[in-house]
Amino acid sequence: MYLDRSTDLVATLLGVMKSGAAYVPLDPIYPRERLAHVLADTRLPLVVSEAALADGLPATDAEVLVLDRARPDRGAPAHPPHPPGPGPTTASPTSSTPPAPRAAPRGSGSGTAR
């Protein structure tokens, strides 16, 4: 990952961890020679970056995924956005909703000692 410290960095880290993949931090303050050495040594298949930094990467065989650039070659998103309306945190009762449980009436012989 070749990103500035930002919310994009945090989101990318979470995505990498959730996918079970590994990452190599490439800090933008590293000298270009150090970046070239790390890229050559690790043989990364993918570098995630942003437009402001991507052009400063040394030559690499890795695919460079630029987060803030459109990717027309990728087609439509895998999960289209949800239509507006009640989301997963909104519950709407319907006629098929079971009734709420009620307390047992007193003296129903529930087996409690008197």
Side-chain angles (χ1 to χ4, degrees), residues 66-81:
V66 181
L67 293 178
D68 50 353
R69 284 190 192 153
R71 297 289 310 256
D73 60 320
R74 296 291 181 183
H79 302 286

Side-chain angles (χ1 to χ4, degrees), residues 16 53 56 100 107:
V16 168
L53 298 173

Side-chain angles (χ1 to χ4, degrees), residues 97-103:
T97 303
R102 296 186 180 167

Side-chain angles (χ1 to χ4, degrees), residues 6-7 12 25 31 41 49-50 63-64 74 78 81 90 101 107:
S6 66
T7 54
T12 303
D41 191 44
S49 188
E50 53 197 36
E63 177 184 357
V64 179
R74 296 291 181 183
T90 304

